[in-house]
Amino acid sequence: AAAAGLPLNDLVVSGGEVYSSYGDYDRNVGPVELASLNTATGAETRHLTVNGEELKALREFDGRVFAADVDPRTAWSANAGFASNRSGAWNYDSATPFIHVFDVAELGGEIFLAGSILNPDPARFGRAPYLAVIKKSTDNGRTWTIERARSSASGSNDGDRYYWLAVVGDQVAGIAEVRDAKGAPNRTLDVYRAGRWHTIDLGARSAEAMVHDPSEIEVIGSRIVIARNNRVVYLDLAAKGKDAGITSANWPADIGLADLAVDRGVMYAVGSRIAGPDLGSANASVYATRDGATWQLVDQPAVLPAATYWDHGGGEMIPIPGAYTAIDVAGGQMYLGGNDAQIYAQPAPSVR
């Protein structure tokens, strides 16, 4: 399901296939293959080669799968975009100039891309060389507009980015990782609804919404749930007043969360113990919630054998403890992706 020595980042089940993503843009691997396994036969199909270094979150909208091209192997001023089967066949959309495309969303026939770009117009956007942006297309990807653009007011701004998008009912939300003139993190959540943008002040805990892996963001009801290793927080777009900011969930502090998935009103999370004895998959756990706030242990999957990982610094494969790194649930089955680049299936656990 992935190149040898690379863990799976995310899984999504769609149309009788389990799609997986992988890669490592910090270490400049690539290109990457977008592949799937048939849920009935286990047969693998390789759909598309993406000339990028990593695919992270796999998003499904109306039965179609999207994968943002996180680090395209092109010039920073060149068009980049996403892979999808929205036309009925898998294709790569070289949509519009991007340095990084971290996430993709679709709502009401409009497509949104989040990431970073070179500043195309300093007279309009200020003197910062880079911009965190959300771009939108209203014509099936033929043309694109910059909908939101933010940049840091202090220090180097080459890390200014929108890392994730969340579709919450009839809204699309995202937060730019930028800083103000005093170096404080951005507090503003950008929210799009019915052709208009508005903002929500997330308050002093806004930095907790700034995760760099979009697969650590999922939505249940009106809540955006955010995985932060051994902590889970959420923000509720339907909340008012003091409840509209970041709220902590009751996630166990000794479990590091690897991935989230939602199926039929239940959110699932897979993780492993990060403190104490028997680390790794010997204590792999699956938790579930119906509201993003209260989590319950629902399964402890079988121990995953030790894996190997490509050490780019040393130029060799090195052993690491086996661990589950991705999850999805569909059709009464739970699918787990491992850091051994394999996918495992078992009956989905019951949830109270």
Side-chain angles (χ1 to χ4, degrees):
L6 289 172
L8 298 182
N9 291 332
D10 200 15
L11 300 177
V12 67
V13 181
S14 179
E17 299 286 317
V18 187
Y19 296 92
S20 59
S21 64
Y22 72 98
D24 190 337
Y25 83 100
D26 287 330
R27 293 178 170 87
N28 297 319
V29 303
V32 294
E33 297 282 341
L34 200 153
S36 68
L37 299 181
N38 186 273
T39 58
T41 67
E44 181 179 33
T45 301
R46 296 185 179 272
H47 301 279
L48 191 68
T49 299
V50 177
N51 188 32
E53 294 168 355
E54 185 167 13
L55 302 177
K56 286 186 178 288
L58 299 172
R59 305 298 196 192
E60 185 184 26
F61 304 104
D62 298 324
R64 301 172 296 176
V65 179
F66 296 72
D69 188 359
V70 169
D71 197 0
R73 291 157 63 93
T74 59
W76 287 1
S77 58
N79 281 10
F82 59 97
S84 78
N85 61 354
R86 63 196 179 101
S87 67
W90 277 95
N91 291 288
Y92 182 85
D93 285 87
S94 295
T96 178
F98 267 99
I99 301 172
H100 297 286
V101 188
F102 283 99
D103 209 357
V104 56
E106 186 182 53
L107 179 65
E110 298 179 321
I111 306 171
F112 301 80
L113 297 177
S116 61
I117 65 171
L118 294 174
N119 187 344
D121 188 352
R124 176 184 175 191
F125 298 112
R127 294 183 296 174
Y130 309 100
L131 298 174
V133 298
I134 298 173
K135 293 187 179 184
K136 184 185 76 172
S137 175
T138 61
D139 56 9
N140 202 34
R142 287 186 292 274
T143 61
W144 295 82
T145 57
I146 296 175
E147 292 288 302
R148 308 304 276 177
R150 297 187 181 274
S151 60
S152 291
S154 62
S156 171
N157 89 310
D158 57 348
D160 290 0
R161 295 159 182 178
Y162 280 89
Y163 279 102
W164 56 264
L165 294 169
V167 178
V168 185
D170 61 352
Q171 303 174 90
V172 177
I175 186 169
E177 186 157 324
V178 297
R179 304 173 308 279
D180 67 16
K182 295 182 179 180
N186 173 37
R187 294 166 53 125
T188 302
L189 182 76
D190 293 300
V191 182
Y192 177 86
R193 184 178 191 180
R196 295 176 179 269
W197 290 90
H198 67 275
T199 60
I200 298 174
D201 185 349
L202 296 183
R205 297 179 65 182
S206 63
E208 296 180 68
M210 296 177 187
V211 293
H212 293 182
D213 186 343
S215 66
E216 296 172 348
I217 302 287
E218 287 290 352
V219 173
I220 187 162
S222 61
R223 292 176 173 175
I224 302 171
V225 179
I226 304 164
R228 297 190 56 84
N229 190 15
N230 66 331
R231 296 181 58 242
V232 175
V233 300
Y234 64 88
L235 58 97
D236 193 336
L237 293 195
K240 305 294 183 184
K242 65 181 180 63
D243 296 323
I246 301 289
T247 304
S248 297
N250 72 332
W251 184 262
D254 61 340
I255 301 294
L257 194 158
D259 192 28
L260 297 165
V262 178
D263 179 57
R264 293 182 294 184
V266 177
M267 181 176 290
Y268 299 85
V270 64
S272 300
R273 191 178 301 280
I274 60 172
D278 300 324
L279 304 183
S281 67
N283 279 287
S285 303
V286 175
Y287 285 78
T289 179
R290 294 186 182 276
D291 62 5
T294 303
W295 292 81
Q296 58 178 290
L297 176 66
V298 294
D299 195 44
Q300 292 183 294
V303 174
L304 193 63
T308 55
Y309 186 79
W310 180 253
D311 178 13
H312 289 262
E316 60 181 349
M317 299 293 285
I318 58 175
I320 57 172
Y324 297 106
T325 55
I327 186 172
D328 200 18
V329 177
Q333 289 288 104
M334 179 170 68
Y335 301 89
L336 297 170
N339 62 353
D340 59 354
Q342 302 298 311
I343 297 174
Y344 301 86
Q346 66 179 68
S350 60
V351 180
R352 297 192 303 271

